[in-house]
């Protein structure tokens, strides 16, 4: 199971850190991804970590940093220089350790319930 923490309201230009806690050893080496979704919109790829390599969506590059703590079985998403357009529900997800389509939600088998991030202007 996955559970994301760090929901919050922050002003534009501020920072917020999300954390995704995974329970169960089966997630230890999985590809871990972050997606976000606004009401009425599609789920957008934000970041993923696969085999120690981190990948970012265009909206996250240069502002967001994904990291993984294998010992704690957690994945964090540090979000800096936040913009109002970053407002969304953020989801963490887990997929195969060799997931090739890590930028697509269909590739992930396990999803957390989502956590709301609101950035005010």
């Amino acid at each position: 199971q996955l559970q994301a923490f760090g929901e919050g309201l922050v002003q534009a230009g501020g920072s917020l850190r999300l954390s995704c806690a995974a329970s169960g050893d089966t997630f230890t080496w999985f590809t871990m991804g972050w997606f976000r979704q606004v009401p009425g919109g599609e789920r957008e790829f934000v970041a993923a970590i696969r085999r120690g390599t981190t990948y970012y969506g265009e909206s996250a590059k240069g502002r967001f940093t994904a990291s993984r703590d294998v010992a704690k079985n957690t994945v964090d998403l540090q979000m800096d220089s936040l913009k109002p357009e970053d407002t969304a529900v953020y989801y963490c997800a887990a997929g195969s350790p060799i997931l090739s389509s890590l930028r697509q939600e269909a590739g992930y088998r396990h999803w957390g319930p989502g956590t709301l991030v609101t950035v005010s202007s």
Side-chain angles (χ1 to χ4, degrees), residues 24-101:
D25 293 338
T26 54
F27 293 108
T28 301
W29 303 111
F30 271 39
T31 296
M32 298 300 295
W34 287 98
F35 288 77
R36 68 185 186 185
Q37 187 173 25
V38 298
E42 296 183 351
R43 203 162 287 186
E44 176 190 3
F45 172 73
V46 177
I49 300 177
R50 182 183 65 193
R51 293 182 167 180
T53 300
T54 307
Y55 304 83
Y56 295 98
E58 287 301 318
S59 62
K61 286 181 180 178
R63 299 187 301 125
F64 295 2
T65 303
S67 59
R68 184 171 198 161
D69 189 326
V70 175
K72 295 182 180 179
N73 218 9
T74 59
V75 176
D76 289 350
L77 183 67
Q78 176 66 38
M79 303 184 292
D80 299 317
S81 302
L82 283 163
K83 306 174 183 179
E85 50 264 45
D86 293 319
T87 295
V89 175
Y90 284 72
Y91 298 88
C92 63
S96 166
I98 56 171
L99 179 64
S100 59
S101 55

